[in-house]
Amino acid sequence: MASKTRANLLLFMKSITLQFNPYARGAESIRLFQPYISPAMMALNPDCKVKVDAEDKPISPEIHIEYMNGMKQVIPTANLTTPLQIVAQINVHRQKVQLVAAGNEPEDDVDAVVDDAPKKDTGKKPAAGGDKKGAAKGKK
């Protein structure tokens, strides 16, 4: 399953930068994630620039990704414990990029559609219940 999870990791990516202090406590997940970007993986997308910025100075462990369509993603990894959590975050954002590439959603609205959908559903349910109570009060 892990190899299938990693199979298209660099798909749609223009660049990926791993920034971390290898000796810092919060860098474990990003250190474990680093082998996921193997030479074989890079061969699947030779246009993707891969950079590892490992420095012995206080920096926040983060992954910076730029996708082919210009969308960007920053993944702070200090609070993540496994590389699969990083892969999951990449996959969620990559699905947004795939929607745009397929022409299913306008590029400017993709984040709004994905991020606001649960909020709209949650907001509608209490409002509908509130309207019924208000209507019932009005009838009395």
Side-chain angles (χ1 to χ4, degrees):
M1 177 96 172
S3 63
K4 188 173 182 180
T5 304
R6 296 191 271 178
N8 295 318
L9 190 62
L10 301 179
L11 186 66
F12 295 115
M13 287 187 192
K14 184 176 180 180
S15 66
I16 181 168
T17 302
L18 284 67
Q19 167 190 302
F20 63 101
N21 177 341
Y23 306 109
R25 279 189 168 202
E28 183 178 359
S29 63
I30 199 168
R31 282 193 320 261
L32 294 172
F33 174 77
Q34 193 173 355
Y36 280 51
I37 305 173
S38 64
M41 182 71 61
M42 291 187 286
L44 294 173
N45 184 359
D47 296 329
C48 181
K49 296 177 183 170
V50 177
K51 180 181 177 186
V52 177
D53 185 12
E55 298 183 27
D56 187 15
K57 65 180 186 179
I59 55 174
S60 296
E62 295 178 338
I63 298 175
H64 298 262
I65 300 171
E66 184 176 355
Y67 292 92
M68 294 292 190
N69 66 353
M71 292 177 78
K72 295 182 180 181
Q73 179 182 19
V74 177
I75 303 172
T77 63
N79 294 326
L80 303 179
T81 57
T82 70
L84 291 178
Q85 291 173 313
I86 296 170
V87 171
Q89 288 191 24
I90 290 171
N91 285 337
V92 166
H93 200 82
R94 193 174 54 220
Q95 287 174 355
K96 295 177 191 180
V97 173
Q98 283 178 302
L99 284 174
V100 171
N104 293 336
E105 296 291 336
E107 189 166 334
D108 294 338
D109 297 332
V110 172
D111 289 328
V113 170
V114 174
D115 293 340
D116 290 343
K119 293 177 186 174
K120 287 180 182 177
D121 290 341
T122 303
K124 288 180 183 178
K125 290 176 185 175
D131 291 341
K132 290 178 184 177
K133 290 179 183 176
K137 286 181 182 177
K139 290 181 181 179
K140 287 183 181 177

